[in-house]
Structure formats: structure tokens, C-alpha cells
Amino acid sequence: MQHSSSAPASLLAAPTRRRLLAGLGAGLGAAAAAGALAACGGRTSPVSPAADPSPAGPSASSGGALMIGAIPDQDPEILQRLYGLVADSMAEATGLAVTYRPVTDYAAAVSLFRTGDLDLVWFGGLTGVQARRQTPGAVVVAQRDIDEDFRSVFVVNEATGLAPSQDLTALADLRFTYGSQTSTSGFLMPASFLTEQGVDPRGFPGGPGYSGSHDATLQLVASGSYEAGVLNEQVWVARSEAGEVDPAVRLFSRTPPYHDYHWLLGPDAVERLGEDLPERLQDYFLGLSADDPDDARVLELFGAGSFVEARASDYARIEAVGEQLGLLR
């Protein structure tokens, strides 16, 4: 892919191996969220019927399995393949029975967390804020090291003739698609950065599209259905390095950094599995070491060098932007 030599160095800087692997991990938990449903007979929600309800690890002796999930922000086949390893690792390290299944949309992950059908969920920044607002007592457990410095990328179809730039005003007259409307990296923060440069984030010709996932955004821009779009940088890097990005799609701009993905634990799980559960889970995540082969596999899947502590206050900016865009209630 050819870039203009006049592009800013920060825009064209080569991503690290960690960022490449994060393309798998940025939505890695996304396959997780449907599992809670089968354990709560009679409830209805958009879940995948293909999920295996069997818990990983030892049988739960105090209130059943830990039900884990996440927002579905990537290709579900990729996520289905990878996330079982995470459940197995967590079960072995904590002694808990761990069950995971995927949900089909972001709202379902938030809803199932609110009802207690999902205990531990890998949320993006915005969905995490939504979930905490709807679930008093929810605890932020951990984030990846890369989530302290997360970014999105704007991409364009080569037919636009646009060279890489930090000036986003060139996008205003293009047919444009976001990812999910509740995606932090696929809508919320990009919309904020567009607004800062005087571009109406909902004022694109014909109105913006919402593809539903980062992979779908790439496909729509490649086909020319939309001339430009925005997605999670980790997905962009992973797909690019794997040779899976259509040559018609070109990088246009990287956003400034912001906090994003994190693990959120529900209060029902603490009541059911013990008051020390938040500490046990935090010890597990923060204790993952790249020097241990088994731990390294988990970290690699998440595209992380480590997990680090996270606080609800890390997402104050996301909460403020969500309020401005009318995405929080």
C-alpha cells in the first residue's frame, strides 16, 4: 500500500507485533456473551445457537459457573476459535468453572450483564459505561496495557484519491460508515474527533452507515458501497499484516489515543461466588506473564504485553462524549 511521503510520521509509524496481535484480541471477548442464556432457561435474547454450554474447569461448588462474555466486534468465527483458550486458562488459574458463549450484538452483551446472565464481560469503553450505569455495583477488573493508549483508524477507498492526512475535513463529503453505533473505537471516539475538526459526525451524504463490526466496515469500503469508514486500529493492523485487506482500502488517518476495552464484573457473581471474586480475577489477569508459555498464549490472543489495573474514572471522557451524542441513559 503506497502512502504519501508528506504524511505525518505519527500516522505512518509501523505498528508493533503487539498491535498486530491485538487485532485478534481487541474483540476477542466478543465471542463470549451468548453463553449465559442457556443457563437461564426461558429467557430470550439474540444469541448464537452453536455455543457449547459446557463449563471449562472444575465443577462449581458455590453457585455454578462463572459466565463470561463480550461485545461481538469482529468476525464471529475468529472469536469462536480463540476464546475457548481464555476460558480454559481462567478456569485452571482460578479454580472456577468458566462458561462462555457469544452474543450477536453489543446491546445483548449489556442487557445480559444487567440481568446477571453474564458475570464477567469484555466490554469496549462505551458499552462498559452503559453496563455500569445499568448495573449498580459492577466492578472494573482490568484492562490491557494497550487500552491505555488505544486508537482508531480512518480508511478510504483508493478511488477517492486521498493521501494520508490528519485533516479529517476531507471526509465530510464522502459516503461514510462507522462500525456499531455503540462501539467506542468504531463510532464514539471517531465521532468526537470529527466534531473537534468541524465535521458533523452524522452529516455525511445520505447519513452515515453503521456496518455492525470492524471487519464489515473494511468490506463495505473495499466494495465501494462507502467511500470511507473508521475502525479499531488493532483490527486494521491484524488484517493488513495477514494480507486480508483489499488493496482498494487505504489508511487515511490515525486518531489520538484514548482508553477503551476492559473487563467488568457484575455484582450477582460476587454474591454467588464470594466477596473475594474481584480480587481473585484481578490477580489472575494482572498475574499473566509473557514469560510463562501458557500465559503468553492468552496475552498474545489479546494482543497485549500484560493486563493492568483499571478504574471507572479511566472512562470519564468516553462517558462525557456518550452523553453529548445521546448514547447514554
Side-chain angles (χ1 to χ4, degrees):
M1 183 165 54
Q2 300 298 315
H3 296 292
S4 166
S5 60
S6 63
S10 62
L11 176 62
L12 302 179
T16 63
R17 171 69 173 164
R18 183 182 302 172
R19 287 190 178 277
L20 162 61
L21 293 167
L24 299 176
L28 174 63
L37 202 63
C40 333
R43 297 181 188 264
T44 58
S45 179
V47 298
S48 167
D52 180 359
S54 301
S59 60
S61 59
S62 56
L66 181 74
M67 312 300 289
I68 67 173
I71 53 172
D73 62 349
Q74 294 188 68
D75 186 322
E77 291 186 6
I78 293 175
L79 302 172
Q80 183 77 33
R81 212 166 43 238
L82 297 177
Y83 212 79
L85 290 175
V86 178
D88 289 342
S89 170
M90 188 181 300
E92 182 175 358
T94 64
L96 296 167
V98 181
T99 297
Y100 117 87
R101 296 184 191 114
V103 292
T104 58
D105 60 61
Y106 285 47
V110 174
S111 177
L112 291 173
F113 185 79
R114 182 186 69 247
T115 59
D117 296 319
L118 285 176
D119 298 319
L120 179 69
V121 178
W122 182 241
F123 282 119
L126 175 60
T127 46
V129 170
Q130 290 174 326
R132 281 193 290 109
R133 282 194 166 202
Q134 297 178 32
T135 315
V139 179
V140 178
V141 174
Q143 63 183 342
R144 300 169 302 180
D145 50 356
I146 60 173
D147 288 307
E148 298 178 301
D149 186 37
F150 209 80
R151 297 172 190 264
S152 301
V153 293
F154 291 92
V155 296
V156 296
N157 188 286
E158 64 178 349
T160 63
L162 291 176
S165 173
Q166 297 290 20
D167 182 359
L168 302 180
T169 58
L171 301 175
D173 296 326
L174 302 181
R175 298 189 310 279
F176 187 91
T177 184
Y178 297 106
S180 168
Q181 196 167 3
T182 51
S183 170
T184 304
S185 56
F187 172 59
L188 182 79
M189 294 311 297
S192 176
F193 297 129
L194 286 165
T195 300
E196 289 176 0
Q197 294 199 23
V199 178
D200 181 353
R202 292 189 170 111
F204 297 101
Y210 295 96
S211 71
S213 75
H214 304 301
D215 289 307
T217 294
L218 284 174
Q219 294 165 7
L220 289 170
V221 174
S223 70
S225 297
Y226 290 91
E227 296 170 292
V230 66
L231 66 146
N232 173 323
E233 184 182 47
Q234 275 63 48
V235 174
W236 165 257
V237 172
R239 304 298 180 261
S240 297
E241 293 292 332
E244 296 171 354
V245 175
D246 191 296
V249 181
R250 296 183 176 179
L251 174 67
F252 178 70
S253 188
R254 294 176 73 211
T255 70
Y258 52 88
H259 283 272
D260 201 352
Y261 292 84
H262 55 284
W263 285 104
L264 192 63
L265 178 66
D268 289 350
V270 178
E271 292 181 9
R272 196 175 73 250
L273 298 173
E275 292 184 1
D276 65 339
L277 184 61
E279 290 75 19
R280 291 172 65 189
L281 292 173
Q282 187 176 68
D283 288 347
Y284 162 68
F285 287 114
L286 272 57
L288 291 171
S289 171
D291 295 328
D292 180 281
D294 292 333
D295 289 357
R297 291 182 70 199
V298 175
L299 291 171
E300 184 177 38
L301 292 177
F302 274 97
S306 65
F307 277 86
V308 299
E309 292 185 8
R311 298 162 296 278
S313 59
D314 292 338
Y315 309 97
R317 181 182 181 190
I318 287 172
E319 188 164 10
V321 175
E323 291 274 13
Q324 294 167 8
L325 294 175
L327 297 175
L328 295 173
R329 58 180 174 84

